[in-house]
Amino acid sequence: MNVLIVHAHPEAASFTTAMRDAAADALTESGHDVRVSDLYEMKFNPVASPNDFLGRANEDYLVYALEQRHADANGLLAPDIKAELDKVVWADLIIFNFPIYWFSMPAIMKGWLDRVFVSGRCYGGMRFYDRGGLKGKKALVSLTLGGQPHMFDANGVHGPLPDLLKHLLRGTLGYLGFDVLPPFIGWHVPYISQQERTALLDAYRERLLTLESQQPLAFPSLEDFDELLRPKAHGTA
């Protein structure tokens, strides 16, 4: 399996970075091909702009998604976007590895999503969910945060973590057609002991050895909706 790890943490000695390395080592030892995009190390530009295109379909007014389609079809994507998109096409599994910032991902990773998941190639028209442009690929979110599990229970102070990450798990990865595996969470990381950190890394390695047997999260099938995306009527009166 080809695995791309998209990593976003500004500190090379962080636990999040240790998770990146643990994943790369475990998957390589299991016979998978692994590539890493370390966004901070790469100084990846997260800002979508007209500079993302070597030529434009409309030089007078920027509709970013339409220009993505035009540039991808005509070999006009900026080199940094093209390099990352090639990795996406190559990968069977993409791991998104990051610390939680404000119930979300670091801005540099959000910018990677905005610029690399190009319209036309990855989604567009009725090409989403089980018809998405990246259907057949797997995605795994591996994250760290300072909170404890009880804070993210159904009745916890913050609510269930998957609900808070719906914008990523469903609104981005599920929408694009990925089989989205349940996230791996490094809880309470800034406050736990070295022994607990070691146990977390061991649990993560074990999780990565069972990827093929993990059940993806459930998202809508477009077969259940009509051409206007209204739910189809099931059965008769």
Side-chain angles (χ1 to χ4, degrees):
M1 182 165 58
N2 296 333
V3 182
L4 172 63
I5 302 174
V6 184
H7 171 71
H9 198 291
E11 174 52 61
S14 69
F15 184 78
T16 308
T17 304
M19 286 178 56
R20 177 203 68 189
D21 294 342
D25 292 345
L27 291 166
T28 299
E29 290 169 5
S30 296
H32 304 293
D33 292 328
V34 179
R35 299 180 186 176
V36 176
S37 288
D38 185 329
L39 301 185
Y40 283 98
E41 184 179 75
M42 294 161 60
K43 295 181 172 57
F44 184 81
N45 175 17
V47 180
S49 77
N51 296 327
D52 292 345
F53 314 110
L54 304 180
R56 297 259 298 277
N58 184 344
E59 294 287 350
D60 298 322
Y61 188 88
L62 177 65
V63 180
Y64 192 78
L66 295 182
E67 295 295 348
Q68 283 184 318
R69 296 186 190 193
H70 173 75
D72 186 37
N74 293 280
L76 296 173
L77 288 171
D80 62 334
I81 297 175
K82 177 63 164 56
E84 295 304 295
L85 182 58
D86 286 346
K87 296 176 190 176
V88 169
V89 172
W90 167 84
D92 303 304
L93 165 69
I94 303 180
I95 298 175
F96 297 89
N97 191 66
F98 59 90
I100 288 287
Y101 288 177
W102 297 112
F103 290 170
S104 187
M105 68 196 80
I108 197 169
M109 181 170 284
K110 178 58 166 63
W112 188 95
L113 300 178
D114 292 344
R115 297 181 69 223
V116 174
F117 286 147
V118 300
S119 178
R121 177 84 69 106
C122 300
Y123 70 96
M126 294 289 285
R127 297 174 64 240
F128 54 94
Y129 291 131
D130 56 344
R131 298 180 190 171
L134 300 182
K135 181 179 179 180
K137 299 179 183 292
K138 291 182 169 64
L140 171 65
V141 170
S142 58
L143 59 90
T144 58
L145 73 169
Q148 300 182 61
H150 70 267
M151 299 176 183
F152 295 88
D153 288 339
N155 297 317
V157 64
H158 299 310
L161 188 60
D163 290 355
L164 303 179
L165 293 176
K166 185 177 181 179
H167 63 93
L168 173 60
L169 300 175
R170 178 171 176 167
T172 302
L173 303 177
Y175 185 91
L176 290 168
F178 282 103
D179 288 331
V180 184
L181 304 177
F184 182 87
I185 304 168
W187 297 103
H188 207 42
V189 163
Y191 312 105
I192 59 177
S193 67
Q194 185 57 48
Q195 182 178 1
E196 291 170 308
R197 289 180 173 221
T198 299
L200 258 179
L201 290 176
D202 288 343
Y204 186 36
R205 293 185 187 95
E206 291 177 11
R207 171 77 183 279
L208 292 169
L209 298 180
T210 64
L211 292 173
E212 296 299 331
S213 63
Q214 293 171 30
Q215 187 68 28
L217 303 178
F219 299 119
S221 169
L222 294 194
E223 296 301 318
D224 295 329
F225 297 83
D226 67 17
E227 66 278 3
L228 296 177
L229 296 177
R230 295 173 299 202
K232 292 179 181 178
H234 294 286
T236 57

